[in-house]
Amino acid sequence: MTQMFRTVGRMRTGYDPDQVDTFFEHARRVYDGDRTEPMTGRDVRQTAFDLVRGGYVTSAVDGAMDRLERALVARQRTEYVATHGQQAWMEHLATQARSLYPRLTRPDGERFAPARRGEQGYDPDDVDDLCHRLVDYFDNGQTLASDEVRHATFERRSGRHAYAEASVDAFCDRAVEVLLGVE
């Protein structure tokens, strides 16, 4: 199999070439219709590769993953609209957005469960700032790109002074899906 991306130096770390090549070959076959199992934008977003010495340049692979995710969501939207119509697609997105809203309306510092004692989590102020931007997007029509949510970074905290990572990550995944659906 030919390498698909440029590699870093032998002493630096990058994504495992075998894992990346296998994933993208599988994705190509699914996208081209050579495979029957589905692949969604969420599948792409939740894929992780091991870091190894001399691996692929992470920024190049991450960029390709973002493009693949957009292509899969665009295809899903096109197929959904062809089957059910544009109005049904917009209603589908509105339903997804409404599922996010109860969390957005909670008070700052109380949107997500706290991390367990001694467990690392996300800084509530950083997460709450992102939630404010989502409210501005939904309520006030402010611009917000899926990449801003997908690549959001949060300072690390521990214990009760942090939001548990799993619930924040799941919430951000759903927000990205809504934003991608209208881009």
Side-chain angles (χ1 to χ4, degrees), residues 120-139:
Q120 287 288 306
Y122 297 135
D123 183 310
D125 292 336
D126 291 348
V127 176
D128 288 339
D129 286 346
L130 178 63
C131 289
H132 293 188
R133 297 202 52 221
L134 284 163
V135 168
D136 283 343
Y137 172 80
F138 289 125
D139 289 351

Side-chain angles (χ1 to χ4, degrees), residues 37-88:
E37 71 271 4
M39 180 179 278
T40 66
R42 180 179 289 193
D43 295 331
V44 174
R45 199 168 42 260
Q46 293 178 345
T47 297
F49 304 111
D50 293 334
L51 290 172
V52 297
R53 289 195 188 275
Y56 283 150
V57 175
T58 58
S59 60
V61 174
D62 289 344
M65 295 287 281
D66 290 350
R67 290 187 297 279
L68 176 60
E69 179 184 17
R70 279 191 192 86
L72 290 169
V73 170
R75 176 180 272 182
Q76 176 191 9
R77 177 178 50 236
T78 300
E79 291 171 355
Y80 195 98
V81 168
T83 304
H84 305 288
Q86 182 68 30
Q87 182 64 29

Side-chain angles (χ1 to χ4, degrees), residues 25 30 42 49-50 71 77 93 104-105 109 112 117 119 136 150 181 183:
E25 181 58 29
V30 169
R42 180 179 289 193
F49 304 111
D50 293 334
R77 177 178 50 236
L93 290 178
L104 293 173
T105 58
F112 298 92
R117 185 180 194 154
E119 182 180 70
D136 283 343
R150 180 190 295 114
E183 289 179 352

